Amino acid sequence: MVNLEYNKNEDNLKLLVSQLNQKLQKVFLGGGESKIKQHKSKGKMTARERIDYLLDKDHPFIEIGAFAGEGMYEEEGGCPSGGVVTGLGKVSGKLCVVVANDATVKSGAWFPITGKKNQRAQEIALENKLPIIYLVDSAGIYLPLQADIFADKEHFGRMFRNNAQMSAEGIVQVSAIMGSCVAGGAYLPIMSDEALIVEGTGSIFLAGPYLVKASIGEDVDAETLGGATTHCEISGVTDNKYPDDPSCLDAIKRIFDKLGEPLQAGFNRVAPMPPQEAIEKIYGIIPADRTKPYDMKELLRRIVDNSELDEYKEKYGQSLICARARIDGWAVGIVANQRKVVKSKKGEMQMGGVIYSDSADKAARFIMLCNQQKIPLIFFQDVSGFMVGSRSEQGGIIKDGAKMVSAMANSVVPKFTVIVGNSYGAGNYAMCGKAYDPRLIFALPTAQIAVMSGASAAKTLLQIQVAAQKSKGESISPEQEQALLEKITQRYNAQLSPYYAAARLWVDGIIDPAQLRTHISVGIAAANHAPIEKRYNVGVIQT
């Protein structure tokens, strides 16, 4: 690689990572410094302080959905991080999911994205058979948006259904009521296996003092109605009370210290080895100009142990890389889009980032092998879609693509997805997009997710709008057409952004590429808690 080109790429990606870190620092402030000060004046720790105190310091915290709600609720004043902090970490040596309401954001009220994010955390616990801890401090449903959070299948009530199912499956759930817990939200901690409460700040009731007064005319204060003494000594709703946040969190640590060891899936792991290729050089590999080709293997060699890739059918179907490798000691099967131009078995040049028939056939067979051999799958996406045109159609691209999708969709080994660059069209699906249940899915700051690229989509949308105006007998000048194109492009490009995807939880997070090894390793460790119970069967399309 020419040094000038490498340096340009490196500068671009490091700038994107810097912008990512700046955005994260803003998100970490939740409702803002004044709200944090107000919250702490009540003797309470913030959501992130509670998580930091609770988790083991020698293990990373993998945050899920940090950008949830980003730019989505401007009229309501915003909802940073969806008003709740979620992620994977260890408590007393036990890997678990943590969910903490951020009461500095609208008093921890539930926006529609809050419900979606909580359910994503529960989904991770369910899929991986992980214990889950709820640190509750919430005013309940955000009433102005109740129609979008209350009554549908995936709305607020789904959480309690998940509570019940996790308990039935033996997945440990521990709740700490550290602030308000009202109305329907009261069921979440009490449907947990253990419920702790903090004196003075924690309260739990179906209807607060004002609603009780309005409904039945009774005058009662919050502490008498649903405080720690009431529920630990009279109603028995909660198990034990604690004088402050730290002592309550210490109690959770003691509970987890005594948990039995989980069953395991038995994924292969050996002593980890760092990549031979310098991981810090990863920043110069992905082109600043996303239309330019690059060698995906150069990126993979900076992620996998000892930079070793044991390729499957290396010379066949070269627009997809299929390889066995290790990441932080874990055995993995990698399926990655090759972005450089390659020569096919017939001597034809194949465009980078496009899935051809032979590549789809290879990937399907490799996915089957990984399922047979109990090896977790990692998909690295930088894909424009499947190859089109008469030659591809006559060659059976739809059949081969369907074979790949079927093999991937029915996989019983855990799947993980990293969106490196483009994630367009059916390529998103075939490479294990969100719809195909990856255990975790992350995007790099260079990612774009959409039906097609911004340039292609903008031109298509422009043609549609111009044709519509002409059908009405309206003329459009070249200047007006250019202005319309720019407006369409700007709107569409905003939707391509990884932050747009992260705000809607299409991805679990946007991460610095240097963090990929850690995130994948923790994901596989989590998946290893869930023994594989289903038999692998790809269905109708098998060869």
Side-chain angles (χ1 to χ4, degrees):
M1 182 182 292
V2 178
N3 285 338
L4 184 62
E5 187 70 22
Y6 176 91
N7 292 339
K8 181 180 177 182
N9 296 342
E10 182 180 44
D11 289 345
N12 177 69
L13 186 45
K14 283 189 173 181
L15 176 61
L16 292 176
V17 170
S18 175
Q19 291 170 349
L20 167 64
N21 291 330
Q22 289 173 24
K23 286 176 177 287
L24 283 172
Q25 290 306 312
K26 184 178 178 181
V27 163
F28 292 164
L29 289 174
E33 292 179 354
S34 63
K35 290 289 185 182
I36 291 174
K37 185 177 180 181
Q38 181 183 343
H39 177 85
K40 297 180 78 166
S41 70
K42 301 172 185 175
K44 301 199 292 184
M45 302 166 78
T46 65
R48 291 183 182 277
E49 286 173 339
R50 289 166 176 165
I51 290 175
D52 185 62
Y53 184 91
L54 180 65
L55 294 181
D56 297 351
K57 301 300 181 287
D58 61 350
H59 187 273
F61 175 56
I62 304 300
E63 184 159 355
I64 303 297
F67 290 109
E70 179 87 356
M72 289 177 63
Y73 302 103
E74 299 300 329
E75 292 183 6
E76 285 77 23
C79 186
S81 211
V84 63
V85 184
T86 62
L88 287 160
K90 279 190 175 181
V91 174
S92 300
K94 309 297 193 305
L95 190 60
C96 61
V97 177
V98 181
V99 178
N101 297 114
D102 187 349
T104 70
V105 180
K106 292 288 191 297
S107 300
W110 288 66
F111 281 62
I113 197 66
T114 316
K116 187 174 183 179
K117 185 171 175 179
N118 272 264
Q119 288 180 50
R120 175 60 180 145
Q122 290 181 320
E123 181 182 41
I124 291 170
L126 270 165
E127 286 182 330
N128 298 295
K129 303 293 187 284
L130 290 177
I132 184 167
I133 298 168
Y134 307 100
L135 306 180
V136 184
D137 194 346
S138 171
I141 286 176
Y142 183 65
L143 287 177
L145 298 177
Q146 66 87 26
D148 298 318
I149 177 92
F150 176 65
D152 207 351
K153 180 178 178 180
E154 304 294 339
H155 283 179
F156 194 65
R158 189 76 170 184
M159 279 190 317
F160 315 133
R161 173 262 194 191
N162 293 344
N163 278 138
Q165 292 207 336
M166 280 192 279
S167 185
E169 289 191 26
I171 297 170
V172 173
Q173 299 177 87
V174 176
S175 288
I177 301 151
M178 314 184 84
S180 298
C181 185
V182 301
Y187 287 102
L188 183 136
I190 307 311
M191 291 187 73
S192 298
D193 304 303
E194 300 197 48
L196 318 180
I197 189 167
V198 178
E199 291 183 275
T201 56
S203 60
I204 180 168
F205 31 65
L206 292 180
Y210 294 114
L211 186 54
V212 167
K213 174 67 174 177
S215 299
I216 63 173
E218 180 185 359
D219 285 306
V220 61
D221 62 84
E223 190 64 25
T224 303
L225 184 64
T229 299
T230 294
H231 286 313
C232 284
E233 300 180 21
I234 301 172
S235 73
V237 167
T238 52
D239 303 326
N240 287 301
K241 61 182 180 179
Y242 301 89
D244 52 33
D245 284 7
S247 59
C248 186
L249 296 168
D250 285 337
I252 296 175
K253 293 181 185 183
R254 293 194 297 273
I255 291 170
F256 270 68
D257 179 59
K258 297 170 182 66
L259 294 182
E261 292 299 317
L263 297 174
Q264 292 196 336
F267 302 128
N268 184 272
R269 193 182 195 189
V270 298
M273 296 179 67
Q276 287 290 323
E277 304 285 349
I279 197 165
E280 61 269 17
K281 296 289 186 182
I282 203 168
Y283 298 103
I285 294 169
I286 304 170
D289 179 353
R290 65 191 315 107
T291 64
K292 287 189 175 181
Y294 66 94
D295 189 351
M296 178 65 81
K297 292 180 190 178
E298 290 298 313
L299 185 144
L300 296 177
R301 290 190 185 108
R302 285 160 175 79
I303 296 170
V304 302
D305 288 17
N306 208 36
S307 298
E308 291 179 350
L309 293 167
D310 186 8
E311 285 197 62
Y312 172 75
K313 293 183 183 287
E314 180 181 0
K315 300 299 182 182
Y316 175 72
Q318 294 182 69
S319 73
L320 278 177
I321 300 163
C322 295
R324 296 179 186 87
R326 292 190 182 273
I327 294 179
D328 198 35
W330 293 105
V332 298
I334 291 172
V335 181
N337 299 111
Q338 176 57 284
R339 280 301 311 271
K340 73 175 186 179
V341 177
V342 296
K343 186 177 288 188
S344 76
K345 60 186 176 181
K346 297 178 181 178
E348 300 161 347
M349 302 308 292
Q350 296 185 345
M351 295 185 293
V354 177
I355 301 175
Y356 290 78
S357 286
D358 53 359
S359 302
D361 172 68
K362 177 173 83 169
R365 294 174 185 275
F366 180 70
I367 290 166
M368 292 177 195
L369 280 177
C370 288
N371 273 269
Q372 181 193 57
Q373 297 167 10
K374 204 158 74 171
I375 300 173
L377 286 159
I378 320 290
F379 293 82
F380 287 86
Q381 290 193 11
D382 195 343
V383 58
S384 303
F386 285 89
M387 189 58 189
V388 296
S390 59
R391 179 176 294 180
S392 292
E393 297 293 358
Q394 292 167 12
I397 185 66
I398 295 175
K399 172 177 62 68
D400 289 321
K403 184 196 309 180
M404 179 180 173
V405 171
S406 183
M408 179 273 301
N410 285 296
S411 177
V412 296
V413 296
K415 305 179 295 251
F416 301 86
T417 302
V418 178
I419 303 174
V420 176
N422 303 330
S423 180
Y424 298 152
N428 169 282
Y429 298 162
M431 293 294 292
C432 195
K434 180 70 171 178
Y436 293 85
D437 298 321
R439 295 291 177 95
L440 294 173
I441 177 170
F442 293 106
L444 302 190
T446 46
Q448 286 190 352
I449 305 165
V451 173
M452 62 181 75
S453 70
S456 298
K459 289 174 183 176
T460 303
L461 291 167
L462 176 67
Q463 290 171 1
I464 292 170
Q465 290 200 25
V466 169
Q469 286 182 264
K470 287 181 178 178
S471 70
K472 297 175 185 177
E474 300 173 1
S475 61
I476 181 168
S477 69
E479 293 78 14
Q480 290 173 317
E481 191 170 321
Q482 182 61 33
L484 184 57
L485 176 62
E486 291 174 3
K487 181 180 178 181
I488 293 170
T489 302
Q490 186 177 13
R491 184 177 71 244
Y492 193 87
N493 282 343
Q495 295 178 0
L496 285 170
S497 165
Y499 294 97
Y500 188 91
R504 289 152 183 80
L505 293 173
W506 299 347
V507 296
D508 291 316
I510 304 169
I511 60 173
D512 181 339
Q515 298 173 342
L516 276 172
R517 278 174 58 84
T518 299
H519 281 64
I520 291 170
S521 176
V522 173
I524 298 174
N528 200 39
H529 284 66
I532 297 172
E533 298 171 350
K534 291 176 65 178
R535 178 176 176 272
Y536 183 60
N537 190 330
V538 297
V540 174
I541 303 170
Q542 300 205 25
T543 58

